[in-house]
Amino acid sequence: MTWNDEPVTITVAPCGAEVTRVHNPALPYTPEEIARDAIASAEAGATIVHIHVREPDGTPSARTELFAEVIERVRGGSELVTMVSTGGAVWMAIEERMQGMSAGPDLASLETGSLNFGDDLFATTLPQTREVIARGRELGVGFEVEAFDVGHVVTAVRLLEAGELDPPLNVNMVVGVPGGIDATPEALHAMLRPLPPGSRWSITAIGRLQRRMLATALLLGADGIRVGFEDNVYLRKGVLAGSNADLVADAAALVETLGRRVATPVEARRSLRLPDGG
Ligand code: KMH
Ligand code: ZN
């Protein structure tokens, strides 16, 4: 193995669909609050924002207007790469999950398989994955695959080999979801094995093992790491994070502590093969 000297992108995932203000009162709900947190996170080192939206009362939503407002505000105050979720919430139909792609983001998340998600089923059939890809292509939106288990990575590689996804493959390894792959070094190695050379990969780790999994991934050469209230509402054991930006600042410090460097917005765009990547 050679050390990856490329800079590391930090993605902030400000609110997700599952977490509520009961878990952390600082959770943003409105487009204004989500964009405010994203912009503060950019100032702390984030270069990508993974966007879910909520109705004003906190109910998970997929309304295009809400995504559009977040994106407009984020672009007005930062150079963040915008990524809308097409995972949405477990109960959303695929048509609803695709609505954010019409809001003009740079990227969309892409599920390439199904899993138990806590007590629920988070289902994405292969035809549904293909529907999301087709819509993204139509709208000029790039993809980050969200892999919750090894089979999801293998399916993404098959889609790449079939020419259905464009190279280089961009996969976020999501570890620690109850029902998905566990948050261990062995699990991460298993997820990396199917990736062809030249792929871009990042890590999302849910819950209390987040910090050590981000560190493991950084040392194994991850191109990106993700933090934010979607994944973890704590800064340290028993200490709630005051904001998404606090979590990003902490992640940026971890990157530097481990001898790597946080990517600039231009470097993030280059890494993602997006326009204006220098
Ligand atoms: N909220 C989860 C059920 C994604 O954004 O693509 C799905 C999720 C993944 O958050
Ligand atoms: Zn998400």
Side-chain angles (χ1 to χ4, degrees):
M1 186 184 108
T2 52
W3 294 104
N4 184 355
D5 282 330
E6 294 299 311
V8 179
T9 62
I10 300 180
T11 299
V12 61
C15 67
E18 289 77 30
V19 66
T20 72
R21 285 188 182 156
V22 173
H23 303 107
N24 188 322
L27 185 71
Y29 283 161
T30 66
E32 192 178 357
E33 291 165 350
I34 294 168
R36 177 207 60 205
D37 270 30
I39 293 164
S41 296
E43 284 155 15
T47 40
I48 306 168
V49 56
H50 171 83
I51 306 168
H52 287 251
V53 289
R54 305 285 186 109
E55 296 299 331
D57 68 355
T59 309
S61 176
R63 284 200 288 134
T64 308
E65 313 86 88
L66 297 177
F67 279 109
E69 187 180 342
V70 174
I71 290 171
E72 190 186 343
R73 286 179 180 276
V74 164
R75 288 185 176 151
S78 74
E79 295 178 79
L80 284 165
V81 172
T82 54
M83 181 201 306
V84 296
S85 170
T86 69
V90 288
W91 41 266
M92 286 180 187
I94 196 70
E95 193 53 48
E96 195 177 5
R97 283 166 49 184
M98 289 194 290
Q99 288 177 171
M101 287 196 291
S102 300
D106 298 299
L107 297 175
S109 66
L110 175 70
E111 269 62 37
T112 53
S114 305
L115 73 154
N116 286 333
F117 200 92
D119 292 341
D120 300 303
L121 173 65
F122 179 34
T124 310
T125 64
L126 191 53
Q128 289 174 334
T129 299
R130 291 194 163 113
E131 249 184 275
V132 178
I133 294 172
R135 183 75 59 88
R137 279 191 191 280
E138 223 174 86
L139 295 166
V141 177
F143 288 111
E144 176 187 272
V145 172
E146 307 299 314
F148 296 81
D149 217 324
V150 179
H152 301 174
V153 183
V154 173
T155 301
V157 173
R158 292 207 171 121
L159 289 166
L160 175 81
E161 287 169 351
E164 295 180 70
L165 279 175
D166 293 328
L169 199 56
N170 178 24
V171 185
N172 182 35
M173 311 298 179
V174 187
V175 301
V177 169
I181 203 161
D182 53 328
T184 58
E186 293 81 359
L188 182 56
H189 280 292
M191 292 185 90
L192 295 179
R193 181 192 53 80
L195 284 184
S199 301
R200 185 194 135 80
W201 70 276
S202 55
I203 180 111
T204 290
I206 307 300
R208 71 186 177 84
L209 296 169
Q210 181 183 56
R211 195 176 180 72
R212 66 186 84 175
M213 285 309 297
L214 298 190
T216 303
L218 284 167
L219 293 176
L220 285 176
D223 298 292
I225 59 175
R226 185 175 105 174
V227 290
F229 288 153
E230 176 165 348
D231 306 330
N232 188 1
V233 296
Y234 291 96
L235 195 57
R236 293 277 181 282
K237 190 172 159 51
V239 181
L240 283 177
S243 68
N244 277 293
D246 286 354
L247 290 164
V248 171
D250 192 57
L254 180 66
V255 170
E256 303 283 344
T257 296
L258 294 176
R260 297 195 60 191
R261 184 170 68 76
V262 176
T264 64
V266 168
E267 288 169 333
R269 285 182 181 273
R270 191 180 306 145
S271 166
L272 291 159
R273 309 289 204 273
L274 289 171
D276 303 327

